Amino acid sequence: MAADRRSSWLKGVLDLLVLSCLTDGESYGYEIAKALGRAGLGEIKGGTLYPVLNRLEEAGLVEAEFRAAERGPGRRYYRLTERGREELAAESGAWLDFHHAVQTMLHPGGTTS
């Protein structure tokens, strides 16, 4: 049950987290998944991540460029667009407001640990 709950929480915020992974420059899917894992979000599989990246690209929030590799398969690199940066800023604020509301409900006396 805990895994299902965690999956539901992640689904609601994954687009925002993927945009956040691109704030310092371009990256490709595997590296984005690794960054999310290092942040403590668990393993994000390609079947979850790549539809998010495609949706963000279709929305004009990221741009993608395929690059051939000297060895092995090529990679698709993603970078934020200006619109993506604006969306990240707006949605980050909305998420933090939501997070604050949840914390207030969970800790009505104001103590959080």
Side-chain angles (χ1 to χ4, degrees), residues 4-43:
D4 290 341
R5 182 175 37 243
R6 192 172 166 89
S7 175
S8 294
W9 294 341
L10 186 59
K11 184 182 277 189
V13 73
L14 189 55
D15 288 20
L16 179 63
L17 296 174
V18 169
L19 291 175
S20 177
C21 286
L22 298 171
T23 55
D24 292 333
E26 64 186 16
S27 190
Y28 54 95
Y30 180 75
E31 279 300 315
I32 293 169
K34 288 295 182 191
L36 294 168
R38 285 191 302 271
L41 298 167
E43 179 184 6

Side-chain angles (χ1 to χ4, degrees), residues 29-102:
Y30 180 75
E31 279 300 315
I32 293 169
K34 288 295 182 191
L36 294 168
R38 285 191 302 271
L41 298 167
E43 179 184 6
I44 309 297
K45 296 186 178 183
T48 299
L49 179 61
Y50 288 103
V52 169
L53 286 165
N54 288 336
R55 187 171 52 251
L56 295 173
E57 184 178 9
E58 287 173 6
L61 304 178
V62 300
E63 294 174 331
E65 176 186 349
F66 180 81
R67 295 185 196 152
E70 287 184 28
R71 290 187 281 183
R75 293 185 176 142
R76 199 163 164 82
Y77 283 82
Y78 299 88
R79 67 184 156 277
L80 280 178
T81 62
E82 187 56 38
R83 185 168 166 214
R85 289 186 188 284
E86 293 166 0
E87 182 78 5
L88 176 60
E91 292 302 312
S92 293
W95 175 258
L96 291 173
D97 289 344
F98 179 75
H99 177 265
H100 178 72
V102 170

